[in-house]
Amino acid sequence: MNKWRIGLTLSWVILLAYFFAETEIQIEGAAGWAASLPTWRIEKHWLLDVFWGGRAMTGYHAWVFPCVAMFFHFPFFMLQQWNWRLEARAVASIVLFWVSEDFLWFVLNPAYGLAHFNPADASWHKHWLAGAPIDYWLGLAAAAILFSFSYRKISQ
């Protein structure tokens, strides 16, 4: 496993997350999870509890999540290359991107900051563990597993 290559990938994903967090702060302001945007919302549904951490599904998120996933998959189409290792790396990058972007949204947002990164102020994150949304921990674990698979050496 080449640590320099992994570090470069992780750094680039976090840099992308930083830029998107800053963009989303300009879009949402102090109203997190698209609360003040002119978009449709589904607040309660059992599938939201299963797949969405209990958060509302909004038109904004219905479009932005697949859009970001498509950006991370663009190199496959541009280079006309694909394999399971690259797919694992793309999915791991997407997961790391969203965890990093969400955390940076709090840290960088003048209406929040790290002091307001908690269940009371971030009420759209329903489930917390050890000072962060459970989604963060699950996402980081999944990303680590996928990155590990995507960078491991193939035995000849």
Side-chain angles (χ1 to χ4, degrees):
M1 213 182 308
N2 185 329
K3 291 180 179 162
W4 184 84
R5 292 174 64 197
I6 295 169
L8 185 60
T9 300
L10 297 177
S11 297
W12 190 257
V13 170
I14 292 169
L15 181 64
L16 290 170
Y18 170 81
F19 273 82
F20 197 82
E22 289 285 5
T23 301
E24 203 166 50
I25 289 165
Q26 299 305 310
I27 293 168
E28 293 180 319
W33 206 255
S36 294
L37 296 184
T39 185
W40 55 263
R41 296 179 78 78
I42 301 171
E43 295 286 346
K44 299 283 184 204
H45 193 280
W46 68 271
L47 288 173
L48 295 175
D49 294 329
V50 174
F51 296 108
W52 214 237
R55 290 182 297 278
M57 173 54 111
T58 71
Y60 171 77
H61 292 97
W63 286 101
V64 80
F65 276 81
C67 181
V68 166
M70 290 171 67
F71 279 125
F72 277 95
H73 284 86
F74 178 66
F76 300 154
F77 293 91
M78 182 176 66
L79 300 174
Q80 298 172 4
Q81 265 188 343
W82 182 89
N83 61 50
W84 285 110
R85 288 178 185 280
L86 292 174
E87 182 65 28
R89 194 171 306 161
V91 172
S93 295
I94 292 165
V95 172
L96 177 62
F97 171 87
W98 283 119
V99 170
S100 301
E101 186 277 338
D102 193 74
F103 180 69
L104 288 168
W105 185 92
F106 285 98
V107 172
L108 302 170
N109 193 323
Y112 284 87
L114 201 51
H116 295 282
F117 183 66
N118 59 62
D121 293 320
S123 60
W124 54 94
H125 284 295
K126 307 288 185 201
H127 311 287
W128 290 68
L129 176 68
I134 288 177
D135 299 353
Y136 285 21
W137 302 115
L138 295 174
L140 291 174
I145 291 165
L146 290 168
F147 274 126
S148 177
F149 168 75
S150 78
Y151 279 105
R152 78 179 167 150
K153 283 194 166 204
I154 300 172
S155 302
Q156 298 284 349

